[in-house]
Amino acid sequence: MPKIEPFERHTLRYEAWFEHNDFVYRSELTAIKTILPREGCGIEIGVGTGRFAAPLGIRFGVEPSARMGRVAMQNGIAVINGVAEALPLAEAQFDFVLMVTTICFIDDLDAGLQQLYRILKPTGRAIIGFIDKESSIGKQYQQHKNESVFYRIATFYTTQEVVSALQRAGFSDFDFVQTVFHNLTEVEMVEPVRRGYGDGSFVVIAALK
């Protein structure tokens, strides 16, 4: 079952998080921009309200929450209702696929990544942004998991776990960037983006089909 209930009920709270944590949001957006392909047709899976797709110029999105999807459409995204594990999309259709803080809400990560592989054109790229389970923010989220209307239903992953799942799906040629090097309450400016992973809480992986 798709984990949409919190997003249906708390869409405004979801949006308020980005307003309250603007520097964190802009740091994440900057990290994705540094590794996202600059050309080609892309789609975001788990597009939410379009917080990432819209400023990144991605015109298409898949979203299981009808309420979140309506907001994304208001932000100019063509939204398709669906879940990552069973994408209602043709094979080899996109040059790149983006997922941002979505993998932790997927019921079957392997199935979801296999679907990304399927809809990508040959030499297409998957771009996965997530909070590393072993990072300071990842540990905080897990420690206070039951206090969050969103993260109480989440499953967090380490970077290596995500890489292993991408490899099982057939991906290779990995590239990494990271950002958000302080706890949420300590982020007072847009954080730098660095190559690799292991220091920043927000990691972005690019993987080649």
Side-chain angles (χ1 to χ4, degrees), residues 164-190:
S164 296
L166 285 163
Q167 289 175 325
R168 289 194 298 272
F171 289 98
S172 61
D173 192 20
F174 300 102
D175 195 8
F176 306 87
V177 295
Q178 58 186 324
T179 190
V180 187
F181 300 95
H182 299 85
N183 291 328
L184 292 179
T185 56
E186 299 170 345
V187 178
E188 298 178 344
M189 64 182 67
V190 176

Side-chain angles (χ1 to χ4, degrees), residues 4 7-8 11 14 46-50 61-82:
I4 63 171
F7 299 97
E8 287 282 289
T11 304
Y14 172 88
V47 70
T49 59
V62 172
E63 175 56 46
S65 165
R67 190 173 180 189
M68 299 276 277
R70 284 194 293 270
V71 178
M73 285 188 282
Q74 293 170 3
N75 288 323
I77 310 300
V79 179
I80 302 162
N81 183 262

Side-chain angles (χ1 to χ4, degrees), residues 2 45-46 62 64 82-88 99 102 106-109 111-116 118:
I45 309 303
V62 172
V83 296
E85 298 93 330
L87 295 174
M99 296 179 75
T102 296
I106 296 177
D107 288 329
D108 188 334
L109 180 59
L113 295 182
Q114 288 165 9
Q115 285 288 296
L116 297 197
R118 182 184 66 81

Side-chain angles (χ1 to χ4, degrees), residues 45-187:
I45 309 303
V47 70
T49 59
R51 276 281 177 175
F52 290 93
L56 292 169
I58 298 172
R59 297 182 294 119
F60 302 100
V62 172
E63 175 56 46
S65 165
R67 190 173 180 189
M68 299 276 277
R70 284 194 293 270
V71 178
M73 285 188 282
Q74 293 170 3
N75 288 323
I77 310 300
V79 179
I80 302 162
N81 183 262
V83 296
E85 298 93 330
L87 295 174
L89 300 165
E91 293 185 10
Q93 189 174 356
F94 294 95
D95 296 292
F96 64 90
V97 179
L98 174 67
M99 296 179 75
V100 186
T101 59
T102 296
I103 59 171
C104 59
F105 297 109
I106 296 177
D107 288 329
D108 188 334
L109 180 59
D110 284 332
L113 295 182
Q114 288 165 9
Q115 285 288 296
L116 297 197
Y117 192 90
R118 182 184 66 81
I119 68 170
L120 280 169
K121 295 177 182 178
T123 71
R125 287 195 177 273
I127 313 296
I128 313 292
F130 62 102
I131 297 296
D132 190 317
K133 180 180 179 179
E134 295 180 331
S135 69
S136 59
I137 293 177
K139 291 174 181 177
Q140 278 187 334
Y141 280 169
Q142 291 172 90
Q143 184 179 354
H144 301 284
K145 187 175 180 179
N146 291 331
E147 301 167 24
S148 169
V149 296
F150 301 111
Y151 286 123
R152 69 178 57 175
I153 59 172
T155 301
F156 294 96
Y157 298 95
T158 67
T159 298
Q160 191 53 55
E161 286 173 334
V162 179
V163 169
S164 296
L166 285 163
Q167 289 175 325
R168 289 194 298 272
F171 289 98
S172 61
D173 192 20
F174 300 102
D175 195 8
F176 306 87
V177 295
Q178 58 186 324
T179 190
V180 187
F181 300 95
H182 299 85
N183 291 328
L184 292 179
T185 56
E186 299 170 345
V187 178

